[in-house]
């Protein structure tokens, strides 16, 4: 990541110097092909492994088989809190200690350890080569290459041309680096985390497939191709959430994610239809070129397109009201949570909005909606995170909240800030999730030894782990400082840019503010509100992260005497990714240091705002729209207020958590109640949104479908059966004429002759 | 065709010259000689002893059919420049001749073993099949109503005999008598119709009739012509078994020895349809306003009625009889669709239909035993499991008859539907689809019974099967049914060319201004 940062800084000088040089991509298809190859190879290994296991496959629950192959995975039970104790008891009774490394493993379980991370690292290398070339050339236009024609439709009313084309520009380059870079680290982590699982090759195959689809999503040169990736990552998400599908709750969580995402996909599709109907194309380059000319600024069409795209983004990126699937998605293995449900897939919505910046700039109302929904999600999810006990649930709500920040940013037109936060969030949230994975790994292993049925994911049962897991503690600590917004860690800079944008907006200095004024809305009040809400959310973030760290790593250890002896750090495959991500979380922020931050002057990081310059060609279209409509932002008056507030809130949240919690004797889950008063109770139950959805949506749909099933069974089937019966009766009736008597037959012929003769003579 | 050219065949026939009839009738001549040869060889074999014929007789019969097919290729690319020939020399005749020959060959092939089991292995059977085939070729290839009638009788009389060929079986004799009585009845109508048409137009030559109706000149005998057309339609309707002239069909098909049933539902029907096309779609083409509505109703009633009655049949053989009536309805739709696409669809379908129907009857024969037919639905229970090859082949034939994709029947129906919609008969197309929807039930029911019901008793299917030659023929039919789906374009192109030749007017010949028909 240092390399990335270093290079990005160079970009500024490169951009200034040799902007005209042409950019020649180096086999960008390899970036896609390598993970796909990994998927194919691991998939074959998985099938082989499954075939070998087949004859030995006993009825479900056979203890002997379980004893050797059942996963040592803890999050076997990582879902609904209620089911835990019973599941644990079963688990321990069934396989005891011996799930860890018995004898030599078959090739199907060793090869994926090399293939899966190998292809990712190779893809990352190819991406870096392309990045360096792009850095040297800094092309002003996107590099697009069509490999074959995918969907050619000739129609008199308008031809649809969708090619299997890759678009490589600064935005997709950045996303590709994040996906392959962070993805490589998480693949390495997965090797340490998942290698004892009987489904290991299958897991790695899914993970490779996910990366392939995620890269398709960001590298595709058109909305339909993006949609292919969009659906593909949805599929992989479903497969990985329900990876341990033998437990019903996991399978249900997968289904929930899939179904909720369908609602969003509906929006994505409608937006594409609208775009094609109005512009006659779906390729990014053509859409961005034609949109300003063919659609009215602030008009109904472009607003509808943007709102429907946002519906799609809200589904994929877990925004209100479609966020409910993400906390449940923690049922999947923890590296999956880190890669898919924190660092990459869930940010696809942000990428979509940034990619469509030109459109969103043209639709101020839609942009404001995006910003408001993002802000609401940020504060809403952060408040739920205050009172969760499951370490992964805390991080899940934190992710939802941080995604809200990103949407607030892109909604306000601060696309660079949104993408910047996307990137830093990928670093520190991946670090936090992998750290939590290491904690759970250690906890579960310790609990294993004593057959304890304590919940390995409940922070109340941990405590004092910094002595046993020092690397995890320090790396997670850094990530926590980053997410809490403590300078100079990465999250501070990116989050500060977002709140800073809101502050500017409140002072009428954002293009969006001018755009809103143009359609008759006074945006400043809204932006003030957004700034306030985001600040509170940032404060809550610092608090719940501090609370999580204190419960996990500080105070007395609460795992128990016997268990404590078995608490230890995992292998290097677990710790190395943590260290790298912690470094990235520390320095990643300097990539886009802005304005008057003192550090810039002290350390002289060049001109600063490297990311702004880097992404400039991508956002040029949006800027042109803003200029053409006279809403380009005024020169921003630097202000120390938002920076100061941000620093104070970050430190304040952490300090509050420290003073409230650390001196108190923390207690285990058995002793400590889940909530103490009404407010905590509502927060603990996540505002009862799941219950509300169940009552209002799920039951209504269930009732309707039962009604339809009845209609189908009695009316539709009835009609069909009646048709069949009628045919039979008619057949029997007509068959009566077949008497076997020749005179009857001759008579029938005679009647026929009469009729035919009459018909001829009559006409 | 350089082979025949080397033998002295002229490039262009002129049937005004008698000698050219040798070439025009070459297949018929070969077939006639061959049939007589079969008869004589059989008599020489047996002398005055009463014993089954030798196994070489069916082989010889197949050889005769093959020789006829070879002779038929002499007609490829030939045309007749005269206006008044008695036989048509066109691609349509070549195509349909092949269909009759295929039908006859399959009939002979599947009769192997069957005749021995029923104790009717006599050389007359094979000679009669050949003579019936000769009748088909004459009827379908005729260009004159008198010739059509002669062909019809040459075809029918051997069939009457063949239906009652098993004299020991009262059902066979009963079927034969019924068919003969009603056949004679309908022949009377047909002949009367010819007489009235001749009275109205002044000729029995189809080309002349077409030209007379085409010029639109008022011949002053409108009513006479209408009545003639009506009675001709009745005669043909009887032979193709269209409702309400179909009532003989189930009884005759059911009572006849199964190979004969196969021949009746394929070759006989094809010949009658070929004549139907020549008389109505070509000669009476310009009187379409009069006959199209009537045939429309015939087609609709035939499709709906036959499929409905087929639903209630408990005997597979009888079900196939009704199925053949229903297919007559489909073929009438093709005929009504008009134009080259309609004719091409007709030709394609008649070929597909012949192969799949003969194949299906082949399986019916495979399931029969000494002395018992075993044609009820229950008799087929478990066949698919105990005799997988028979079950699979029967399933393919039935699915093709139903018009299921991956079979010739599907493509055939598709072509007919396309022709119907293009030809402005969309309503008939809808009726066809609905009627064949009903047909799925009774075709699939057989497959369900074959695969999902246990056999009547242990070893029930032990003796089911066919001798090698018959097995080969059924397998070939099976392959053709599937191949015609995947390579459907090949037969379709041939059918299209044949249909085009049917419409080609004979080249104007100045030398013969007036038709020189016998009755002129």
């Amino acid at each position: 990541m240092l390399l990335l940062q270093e290079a990005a800084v160079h970009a500024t000088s490169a951009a200034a110097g040799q902007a005209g040089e042409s950019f020649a991509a180096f086999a960008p298809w390899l970036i896609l092909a390598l993970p796909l190859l990994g998927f194919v190879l691991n998939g074959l290994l998985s099938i082989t492994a499954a075939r070998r296991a087949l004859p030995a496959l006993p009825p479900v629950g056979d203890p002997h088989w379980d004893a050797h192959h059942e996963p040592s995975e803890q999050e076997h039970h990582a879902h609904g809190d209620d089911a835990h104790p019973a599941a644990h008891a079963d688990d321990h009774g069934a396989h005891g200690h011996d799930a860890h490394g018995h004898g030599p493993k078959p090739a199907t379980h060793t090869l994926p350890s090399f293939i899966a991370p190998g292809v990712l690292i190779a893809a990352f290398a190819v991406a870096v080569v392309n990045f360096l070339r792009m850095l040297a050339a800094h092309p002003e236009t996107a590099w697009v290459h069509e490999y074959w024609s995918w969907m050619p439709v000739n129609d008199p009313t308008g031809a649809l041309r969708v090619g299997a084309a890759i678009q490589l520009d600064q935005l997709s380059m950045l996303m590709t680096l994040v996906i392959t870079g962070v993805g490589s680290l998480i693949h390495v982590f997965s090797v340490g985390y998942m290698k004892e699982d009987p489904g290991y090759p299958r897991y790695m195959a899914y993970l490779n497939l996910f990366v392939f689809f995620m890269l398709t999503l960001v590298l595709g040169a058109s909305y339909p191709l993006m949609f292919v990736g969009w659906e593909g990552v949805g599929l992989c998400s479903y497969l990985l959430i329900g990876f341990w599908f033998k437990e019903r709750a996991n399978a249900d969580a997968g289904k929930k994610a899939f179904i909720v995402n369908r609602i969003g996909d509906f929006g994505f599709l409608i937006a594409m239809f609208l775009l094609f109907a109005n512009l006659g194309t779906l390729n990014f380059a053509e859409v961005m070129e034609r949109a300003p000319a063919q659609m009215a600024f602030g008009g109904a069409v472009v607003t509808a397109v943007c709102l429907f795209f946002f519906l799609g983004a809200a589904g994929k990126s877990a925004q209100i009201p479609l966020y409910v699937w993400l906390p449940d998605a923690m049922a999947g293995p923890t590296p999956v949570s880190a890669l898919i449900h924190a660092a990459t897939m869930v940010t696809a919505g942000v990428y979509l909005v940034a990619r469509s910046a030109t459109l969103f700039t043209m639709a101020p109302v839609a942009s404001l909606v995006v910003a408001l929904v993002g802000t609401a999600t940020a504060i809403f999810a952060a408040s739920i995170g205050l009172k969760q006990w499951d370490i992964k649930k805390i991080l899940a709500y934190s992710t939802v909240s941080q995604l809200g920040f990103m949407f607030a940013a892109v909604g306000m037109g601060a696309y660079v800030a949104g993408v910047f936060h996307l990137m830093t969030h990928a670093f520190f949230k991946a670090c936090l999730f992998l750290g939590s994975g290491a904690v759970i790994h250690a906890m579960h292993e310790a609990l294993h030894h004593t057959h304890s049925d304590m919940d390995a994911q409940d922070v109340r049962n941990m405590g004092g782990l910094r002595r046993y897991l020092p690397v995890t503690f320090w790396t997670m600590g850094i990530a926590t400082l980053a997410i809490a917004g403590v300078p100079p860690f990465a999250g501070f800079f990116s989050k500060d840019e977002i709140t800073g944008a809101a502050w500017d907006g409140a002072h009428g200095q954002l293009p969006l503010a001018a755009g809103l004024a143009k359609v008759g809305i006074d945006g400043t009040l809204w932006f003030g509100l957004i700034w306030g809400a985001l600040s509170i959310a940032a404060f809550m973030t610092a608090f719940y992260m501090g609370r999580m760290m204190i419960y996990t790593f500080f105070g007395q250890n609460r795992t128990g005497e016997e268990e404590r002896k078995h608490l230890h750090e995992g292998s290097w495959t677990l710790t190395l990714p943590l260290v790298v991500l912690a470094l990235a979380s520390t320095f990643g922020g300097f990539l886009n240091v802005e304005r008057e931050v003192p550090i810039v002057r002290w350390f002289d990081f060049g001109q600063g705002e490297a990311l702004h310059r880097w992404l400039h060609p991508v956002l040029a279209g949006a800027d042109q729209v803003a200029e053409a409509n006279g809403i380009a932002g005024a020169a921003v008056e630097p202000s120390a207020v938002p920076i100061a507030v941000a620093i104070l809130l970050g430190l304040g949240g952490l300090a509050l958590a420290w003073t409230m919690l650390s001196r108190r004797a923390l207690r285990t889950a058995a002793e400590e109640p889940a909530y103490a008063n009404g407010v905590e109770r509502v927060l603990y139950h996540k505002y009862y949104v799941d219950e509300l959805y169940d009552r209002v949506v799920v039951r209504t749909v269930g009732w309707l479908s039962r009604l339809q099933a009845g209609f189908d069974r009695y009316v539709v089937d009835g009609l069909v059966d009646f048709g069949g019966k009628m045919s039979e009766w008619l057949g029997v009736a007509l068959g009566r004429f077949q008497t076997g008597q020749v005179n009857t037959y001759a008579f029938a012929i005679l009647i026929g002759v009469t009729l035919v003769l009459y018909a001829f003579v009559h006409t | 065709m350089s082979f025949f050219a080397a033998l002295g065949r002229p490039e262009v026939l002129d049937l005004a010259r008698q000698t050219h009839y040798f070439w025009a009738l070459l297949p018929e001549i070969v077939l006639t000689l061959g049939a007589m040869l079969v008869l004589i060889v059989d008599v020489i074999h047996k002398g005055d002893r009463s014993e089954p014929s030798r196994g070489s007789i069916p082989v010889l019969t197949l050889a005769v059919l093959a020789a006829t097919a070879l002779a038929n290729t002499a007609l490829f690319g030939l045309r007749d420049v005269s206006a008044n020939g008695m036989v048509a020399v066109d691609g349509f005749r070549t195509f349909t001749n092949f269909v009759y020959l295929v039908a006859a060959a399959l009939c002979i092939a599947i009769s192997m073993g069957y005749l021995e089991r029923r104790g009717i292995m006599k050389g007359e059977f094979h000679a009669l099949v050949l003579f019936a085939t000769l009748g088909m070729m004459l009827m379908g290839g005729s260009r004159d109503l008198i010739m059509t009638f002669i062909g019809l009788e040459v075809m029918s009389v051997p069939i009457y005999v063949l239906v009652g060929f098993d004299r020991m079986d009262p059902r066979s004799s009963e079927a034969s008598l019924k068919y003969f009585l009603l056949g004679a009845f309908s022949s009377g109508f047909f002949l009367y119709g010819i007489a009235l048409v001749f009275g109205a137009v002044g000729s029995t030559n189809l080309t002349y009739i077409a030209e007379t109706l085409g010029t639109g000149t008022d011949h002053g005998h409108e009513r006479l012509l209408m009545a003639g057309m009506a009675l001709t339609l009745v005669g043909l309707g009887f032979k193709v078994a269209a409702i309400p002239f179909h009532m003989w069909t189930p009884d005759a098909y059911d009572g006849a020895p199964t190979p004969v049933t196969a021949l009746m539902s394929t070759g006989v029907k094809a010949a009658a349809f070929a004549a139907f096309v020549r008389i109505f779609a070509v000669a009476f083409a310009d009187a379409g306003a009069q006959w199209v509505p009537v045939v429309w109703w015939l087609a609709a009633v035939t499709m709906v009625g036959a499929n409905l009655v087929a639903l209630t049949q408990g005997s597979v053989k009888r079900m196939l009889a009704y199925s053949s009536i229903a297919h007559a309805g489909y073929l009438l739709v093709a005929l009504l669709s008009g134009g080259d696409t309609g004719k091409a669809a007709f030709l394609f379908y008649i070929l597909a239909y012949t192969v799949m129907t003969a194949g299906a009857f082949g399986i019916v024969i495979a399931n029969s035993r000494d002395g018992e037919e075993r044609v009820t639905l229950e008799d087929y229970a478990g066949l698919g499991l105990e005799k997988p090859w028979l079950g699979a082949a029967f399933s393919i034939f039935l699915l093709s008859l139903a018009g299921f994709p991956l079979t010739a029947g599907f493509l055939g129906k598709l072509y007919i539907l396309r022709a119907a919609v293009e030809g402005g008969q969309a309503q008939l197309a809808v009726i066809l689809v609905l009627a064949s929807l009903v047909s799925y039930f009774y075709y699939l029911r057989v497959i369900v019974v074959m695969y999902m019901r246990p056999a009547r008793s242990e070893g029930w299917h032990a003796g089911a099967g066919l001798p090698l030659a018959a097995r080969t023929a059924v397998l070939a039919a099976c392959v053709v049914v599937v191949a015609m789906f995947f390579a459907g374009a090949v037969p379709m192109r041939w059918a299209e060319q044949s249909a085009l030749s049917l419409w080609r007017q004979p080249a104007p010949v100045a030398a013969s201004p007036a038709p020189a028909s016998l009755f002129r």
Side-chain angles (χ1 to χ4, degrees), chain B residues 348 406 408 411 415 479-494:
Chain B
F348 184 93
L406 302 184
L411 217 50
Y415 286 138
V479 170
V480 168
V481 163
V482 178
M484 272 181 83
F485 176 81
F486 288 103
V490 178
M492 193 55 193
R493 200 175 311 129
W494 184 25

Side-chain angles (χ1 to χ4, degrees), chain B residues 164-198:
Chain B
F165 202 75
D166 189 358
R167 280 177 302 171
M168 296 301 116
D169 181 1
R171 290 177 66 250
S172 179
S173 304
E174 181 194 328
S176 174
L177 186 64
K178 278 181 188 169
Y179 187 28
F180 174 66
L181 284 173
L182 294 172
F185 195 44
S186 75
S187 288
F189 283 113
F190 188 58
L191 196 54
Y192 194 16
I194 291 174
L196 294 179
V197 170
F198 174 72

Side-chain angles (χ1 to χ4, degrees), chain A residues 168-383:
Chain A
L168 208 56
D169 60 10
Q170 285 80 357
L171 180 58
S172 57
M173 193 70 247
L174 179 78
M175 293 295 288
T176 305
L177 285 174
V178 170
I179 294 162
T180 51
V182 177
S184 299
L185 294 173
I186 294 174
H187 274 66
V188 171
F189 186 89
S190 294
V191 171
Y193 196 80
M194 293 292 288
K195 62 176 183 291
E196 304 299 335
D197 194 284
Y200 180 55
R202 179 167 62 95
Y203 168 84
M204 282 305 195
Y206 289 166
L207 216 55
N208 280 165
L209 185 66
F210 166 78
V211 173
F212 165 72
F213 277 125
M214 192 66 211
L215 289 167
T216 308
L217 197 162
V218 297
L219 285 173
S222 61
Y223 284 107
L225 214 55
M226 187 184 187
F227 192 67
V228 171
W230 191 269
E231 291 300 296
V233 292
L235 168 73
C236 295
S237 165
Y238 162 79
L239 292 171
L240 285 164
I241 293 170
F243 182 72
W244 291 302
F245 52 82
K246 278 183 185 169
E247 267 188 59
R248 196 187 163 89
N250 298 348
D252 283 349
K255 276 193 282 184
K256 186 172 178 182
F258 206 72
I259 291 166
V260 172
N261 265 297
R262 291 285 78 66
I263 301 171
D265 295 343
F266 160 79
F268 196 122
L269 283 171
I270 297 290
M272 279 203 289
F273 298 157
L274 280 173
L275 263 189
F276 182 68
N278 285 283
L279 300 181
T281 180
L282 287 170
N283 299 334
F284 291 140
E286 288 165 14
V287 167
M288 302 316 157
E289 191 188 312
R290 294 182 197 174
Q294 297 185 17
M295 293 196 290
F297 179 85
V301 176
V302 72
T303 306
V305 168
C306 289
L307 284 176
F308 277 116
F309 269 137
F310 178 59
L311 179 61
K316 190 66 60 195
S317 296
Q319 295 297 291
I320 290 174
L322 301 177
Y323 71 93
V324 287
W325 65 270
L326 186 55
D328 285 26
M330 298 301 132
T334 306
V336 170
S337 308
L339 178 62
I340 302 183
H341 304 123
T344 55
M345 183 188 85
V346 288
T347 61
V350 181
Y351 170 75
L352 170 63
V353 177
R355 176 55 83 200
S356 314
T358 307
L359 299 176
F360 277 86
T361 308
M362 290 175 65
V365 178
S367 289
L368 184 63
V369 170
V370 174
L372 288 175
V373 171
T375 307
T377 309
I379 191 166
F380 180 79
S383 69

Side-chain angles (χ1 to χ4, degrees), chain A residues 464-640:
Chain A
L465 292 183
R466 71 176 191 276
R467 284 186 292 278
Y468 310 100
L469 303 167
V471 179
T472 309
F473 166 67
W474 282 108
T475 51
M476 275 184 88
I478 288 169
T480 300
L481 291 176
I483 191 175
V486 175
F489 297 99
F492 164 73
F493 296 104
S494 56
K495 208 185 278 186
D496 173 58
E497 266 211 60
I498 297 170
T499 50
W503 179 267
D504 293 345
H507 291 81
Q509 287 165 332
L510 272 188
L512 180 59
L516 284 170
K518 218 180 164 191
V519 294
I521 299 172
D522 180 13
T524 51
L525 192 68
W526 290 113
F527 288 122
L529 199 66
I530 290 172
W531 182 76
L534 288 182
S535 296
I536 296 170
F539 179 71
M540 288 182 182
T541 307
F543 180 82
Y544 67 67
M545 288 309 299
R547 169 177 171 272
M548 187 195 88
M549 288 300 286
I550 289 161
Y551 263 102
T552 310
F553 291 105
F554 292 92
Q556 285 296 310
N557 177 267
R558 299 179 293 279
T559 43
E561 285 296 325
E562 197 58 36
E563 288 84 351
R564 201 166 300 149
K565 292 175 190 160
H566 300 285
L567 281 171
H568 61 82
E569 197 77 78
S571 65
W572 68 269
T573 50
L574 296 184
T575 50
L576 176 74
L578 284 173
V579 172
V580 175
L581 285 169
L583 285 173
S585 304
T586 312
F587 300 107
F590 295 108
L591 207 57
N592 196 33
V593 185
E594 62 160 334
R595 309 192 295 227
E596 299 301 308
V597 177
I599 298 165
V600 183
R601 279 180 302 204
W602 296 343
F603 290 95
D604 188 21
F605 273 98
Q607 296 156 281
E609 304 202 325
L611 199 62
H612 270 283
R613 257 178 282 278
W614 173 250
L615 287 176
H616 180 261
V618 180
L619 299 170
D623 292 345
Q624 280 165 15
V625 168
E627 270 171 37
N629 289 282
I631 58 166
V636 177
E637 191 71 31
S639 167

Side-chain angles (χ1 to χ4, degrees), chain A residues 727 731 737-738 740 742 745 748 760, chain B residues 178 230 247 251 291 308 311 322:
Chain A
S727 304
F737 290 106
Q738 204 72 32
V742 181
Y745 297 177
F760 265 100
Chain B
K178 278 181 188 169
M247 304 207 73
D251 291 14
W291 63 265
L308 286 178
L311 281 181
Y322 279 104

